Amino acid sequence: MNPGPTQRASRVYDGDPNWLDTYRHAIYATLVSDPERAQRLEHLRQVFAEADCVENARWAAVQVGVLLDAAHREVVGR
């Protein structure tokens, strides 16, 4: 069975008692370090907040998930 994203991340930060906070900070730093990606994230936040229907909110949430997945891959080197 393949390890899930949290298990992979926990191995990256072995020995850090606050590994989850460290991981979350690394994901956030990765997202906002690129101005284009940070702008995209802010745009999606606004789309989600102002969504007038479930489909628009779902679309924005999926797009945020894509950004988070890419950041996760950068952080854990995968």
Side-chain angles (χ1 to χ4, degrees):
M1 184 160 109
N2 291 331
T6 302
Q7 290 170 318
R8 285 193 301 270
S10 67
R11 280 193 225 125
V12 170
Y13 300 105
D14 275 346
D16 182 353
N18 298 315
W19 72 268
L20 188 56
D21 289 336
T22 303
Y23 171 69
R24 288 177 180 156
H25 178 73
I27 292 286
Y28 179 76
T30 300
L31 284 172
V32 298
S33 66
D34 176 14
E36 186 176 314
R37 195 169 16 195
Q39 184 178 16
R40 176 83 174 137
L41 184 63
E42 177 57 24
H43 170 74
L44 290 169
R45 187 196 66 76
Q46 289 176 333
V47 168
F48 187 81
E50 298 169 2
D52 57 351
C53 63
V54 172
E55 289 80 17
N56 289 346
R58 186 175 296 139
W59 176 85
V62 167
Q63 297 304 310
V64 168
V66 169
L67 287 174
L68 288 171
D69 184 55
H72 162 78
R73 290 173 189 270
E74 286 182 39
V75 167
V76 298
R78 206 182 144 232

